[in-house]
Amino acid sequence: EIEIEQMKILSEKEWTEFTVLIKKADFWNMELGRKTIGFDGSEWIMEGVNQTDYRVVSVWTPRTGNFYNACNYLISLTNLKISKKEIY
């Protein structure tokens, strides 16, 4: 069930920064995930589409790394108020 649905048009600078982060995460070659699921944590899901591919990657409670950085950057572009303690 979708609780919040928002759209935002990114500036060229924001898009460039995001694509750099996605490349660092090697998103198009990442394992799809769902190997680890727990009882306390969160599932971070990133979907992507390009001219030839659609991909969805799921990571259980990322805390560091390039995938975390890319997702966290997207969160930072929203007006959601999430404390560092609550991002897990």
Side-chain angles (χ1 to χ4, degrees):
E1 182 176 318
I2 297 176
E3 289 186 29
I4 299 171
E5 183 175 345
Q6 295 179 335
M7 293 181 67
K8 176 180 178 164
I9 297 172
L10 300 182
S11 69
E12 187 173 335
K13 180 182 177 195
E14 290 168 333
W15 178 250
T16 299
E17 178 65 22
F18 176 65
T19 58
V20 166
L21 292 168
I22 283 296
K23 285 178 186 174
K24 285 182 181 178
D26 198 19
F27 173 78
W28 293 102
N29 295 303
M30 287 180 67
E31 291 186 30
L32 299 179
R34 295 236 173 178
K35 288 184 178 182
T36 305
I37 292 272
F39 294 107
D40 185 27
S42 59
E43 182 178 18
W44 290 35
I45 301 169
M46 174 85 62
E47 292 181 76
V49 65
N50 63 23
Q51 295 82 1
T52 59
D53 297 308
Y54 169 78
R55 183 170 191 79
V56 61
V57 173
S58 168
V59 176
W60 181 257
T61 311
R63 298 186 193 279
T64 60
N66 292 322
F67 181 79
Y68 172 88
N69 293 340
C71 293
N72 201 41
Y73 179 71
L74 288 180
I75 292 170
S76 77
L77 296 177
T78 71
N79 61 0
L80 296 173
K81 306 297 182 220
I82 306 171
S83 72
K84 289 190 181 213
K85 181 181 174 184
E86 292 176 311
I87 293 181
Y88 60 91

